[in-house]
Amino acid sequence: MNQATADFITEHLNDDIRQLALRGTKDAEVDMTYALDQIAGWQTARHKLPSWAAVEGIVYPPHLSMEQCSSEQTALYKGLLAGQPATVVDLTGGFGVDFSFLARGTRKAVYVEQQPHLCDMARHNFRLLGLHHAEVVCADAADYLRQMAPVDLIYIDPARRDSHGGRTYGIADCSPDVLSLRQLLLQKARRVLIKLSPMLDWRKAVSDLGRQYVSEVHIVSADNECKELLVVMAEKTDGLRLVCVNDEDVFEATPSATPYSPSPCMPLPSAFLYEPNASIMKAGCFNALAQHYGVAPIARDSHLFVSADPVDQFPGRTFQIDAVTSLRGRDLKTCLGATKQANITVRNFPLSVAELRRRLKLSEGGSVYIFATTLADNKHVLLITHKPYTEPQSQ
């Protein structure tokens, strides 16, 4: 990068990237394509990777790679999950975000990536991030795996796009194919940490990889959006841990072969309503959730729970029920009164949020929360709720 390009990046770091692209520059020495990538990359990293954005001189990849890379929040979680391995190999290095957190505190850390330009970027960035012990290897993941010495931890994030750029979700459809490499991975590492698509069903992932080899499954969400499915494999396991993570909420369950068989409970005014977070919804560990927190489901497939008294630290959203109503006009008028706006959620209900909003003639927002759902007796109801008031903590 020449000085003119570096100066342009510094001068326009906080500018609107679209307007900047339209305006361009009269300075022929400025590499505009590179400059726009760096400005856009830093602006994304400022929120997604704040510790990287704080380091001057970090080189960022094009926009698509920045959108696809791990966030700092999820990368930090992988670092905690890894523990403190003495030796770690990342077989699918990419931009290097996950590697940078996995490599901290290790004696030896190897980043493997088959694209030379990403390897060059990684060498530059790792030096600035203080990862001086990181070894960057430009090689095919499977080829390197076959010749490498055994390590404590292997991390692998198979590419979820086919040769035509289309998205794939099945483990066998990703590259490298973890299923065909499974035995070799287990021979080369005490533990193997695999990042899979959050669209993939975790039970199928465990079945495909081999239940006897899977020791942990972590479903990781941020801001109540499921981001990653992490699977830990080992040659010897002591059973399977299922961990649901959403920001600060962590719920651990022991997967059971017992089907979900709730004892439905009728939601009543003044009772408390609970909506599990995205990770628990993805995991489907509703029996364990109900037993642990002492809450009762309103129906098998509605995935909403109630209790007479408030439950502390429930992993999800908590509401207090003001009214339970059918969709009949008179009932609605009695329960909604002069309400003009509400937040609407649909759970196991025949109408969409948009359809229901039109029918109720309610705008979005406000302090009223309506849950449209189905009870155990197949009755469709609206639960009119509000968020319980919490006393502010004294300083």
Side-chain angles (χ1 to χ4, degrees):
M1 177 175 58
N2 60 39
Q3 191 60 46
T5 303
D7 291 343
F8 182 89
I9 293 170
T10 301
E11 181 181 353
H12 298 283
L13 204 55
N14 291 290
D15 288 4
D16 183 279
I17 196 69
R18 294 180 181 85
Q19 292 298 318
L20 196 58
L22 289 172
R23 287 201 311 267
T25 179
K26 295 179 180 179
D27 190 341
E29 293 187 16
V30 174
D31 183 339
M32 197 64 182
T33 300
Y34 179 81
L36 291 174
D37 279 344
Q38 297 314 301
I39 294 169
W42 180 84
Q43 290 179 359
T44 299
R46 180 174 47 179
H47 304 289
K48 192 173 186 177
L49 301 167
S51 68
W52 282 49
V55 177
E56 187 176 349
I58 291 289
V59 176
Y60 298 99
H63 177 73
L64 181 60
S65 295
M66 281 300 297
E67 290 299 316
Q68 292 176 345
C69 77
S70 293
S71 67
E72 185 159 323
Q73 184 177 355
T74 57
L76 272 168
Y77 184 78
K78 294 186 198 75
L80 292 172
L81 177 56
Q84 293 183 315
T87 52
V88 60
V89 170
D90 182 345
L91 288 174
T92 50
F95 183 38
V97 174
D98 286 330
F99 175 83
S100 70
F101 288 91
L102 291 170
R104 295 179 180 181
T106 61
R107 175 172 53 79
K108 181 178 181 180
V110 182
Y111 159 106
V112 181
E113 171 57 51
Q114 61 182 343
Q115 299 185 62
H117 74 281
L118 289 177
C119 292
D120 291 340
M121 192 181 299
R123 290 188 186 94
H124 172 86
N125 289 341
F126 294 160
R127 176 177 56 81
L128 295 178
L129 292 167
L131 299 174
H132 301 292
H133 68 303
E135 179 183 351
V136 175
V137 177
C138 190
D140 174 78
D143 291 343
Y144 184 84
L145 177 64
R146 293 184 184 96
Q147 58 82 42
M148 63 176 271
V151 294
D152 292 323
L153 177 72
I154 287 176
Y155 174 66
I156 187 166
D157 176 10
R160 295 188 287 275
R161 290 186 181 274
D162 59 26
S163 58
H164 303 290
R167 286 188 176 275
T168 58
Y169 301 110
I171 300 176
D173 298 325
C174 297
S175 178
D177 181 1
V178 175
L179 296 184
S180 65
L181 296 173
R182 180 182 59 192
Q183 294 304 322
L184 188 56
L185 286 165
L186 292 170
Q187 290 171 17
K188 295 288 187 173
R190 291 176 54 245
R191 290 195 304 158
V192 180
L193 174 58
I194 308 169
K195 176 182 171 181
L196 299 172
S197 167
M199 300 294 292
L200 191 63
D201 182 84
W202 70 267
R203 297 173 187 82
K204 177 169 173 46
V206 170
S207 176
D208 289 348
L209 290 168
R211 177 71 181 252
Q212 68 272 32
Y213 300 119
V214 178
S215 59
E216 301 174 38
V217 172
H218 296 251
I219 301 174
V220 183
S221 296
D223 296 327
N224 209 32
E225 181 181 350
C226 195
K227 297 292 187 180
E228 297 180 351
L229 174 61
L230 304 175
V231 176
V232 180
M233 294 177 59
E235 190 70 50
K236 295 181 180 180
T237 66
D238 297 320
L240 176 61
R241 291 177 62 215
L242 176 62
V243 183
C244 303
V245 181
N246 181 69
D247 299 327
E248 301 300 318
D249 288 337
V250 179
F251 179 70
E252 182 173 341
T254 301
S256 171
T258 304
Y260 181 43
S261 53
S263 300
C265 181
M266 175 71 73
L268 301 172
S270 79
F272 291 85
L273 179 75
Y274 306 93
E275 180 189 38
N277 65 39
S279 288
I280 291 173
M281 295 293 283
K282 175 74 176 178
C285 50
F286 301 116
N287 272 342
L289 183 75
Q291 293 170 7
H292 184 86
Y293 290 98
V295 295
I298 64 171
R300 176 183 173 84
D301 297 317
S302 296
H303 308 321
L304 293 170
F305 299 80
V306 291
S307 69
D309 300 310
V311 173
D312 292 333
Q313 307 298 318
F314 183 85
R317 298 197 298 171
T318 300
F319 301 87
Q320 190 161 5
I321 301 175
D322 298 316
V324 181
T325 177
S326 69
L327 286 172
R328 290 193 295 268
R330 183 178 297 179
D331 294 341
L332 285 174
K333 186 174 182 179
T334 300
C335 292
L336 290 176
T339 303
K340 299 297 183 183
Q341 62 177 172
N343 306 278
I344 299 177
T345 298
V346 167
R347 286 273 183 263
N348 188 27
F349 197 76
L351 299 179
S352 68
V353 170
E355 290 168 335
L356 187 58
R357 190 176 295 284
R358 284 195 298 270
R359 181 164 176 174
L360 298 177
K361 298 179 181 179
L362 295 173
S363 61
E364 187 174 357
S367 59
V368 175
Y369 291 80
I370 298 176
F371 286 82
T373 189
T374 302
L375 301 181
D377 58 5
N378 291 321
K379 288 182 179 178
H380 303 314
V381 297
L382 304 183
L383 308 180
I384 317 299
T385 75
H386 68 276
K387 287 186 175 180
Y389 174 72
T390 303
E391 289 285 350
Q393 294 182 351
S394 59
Q395 300 295 321

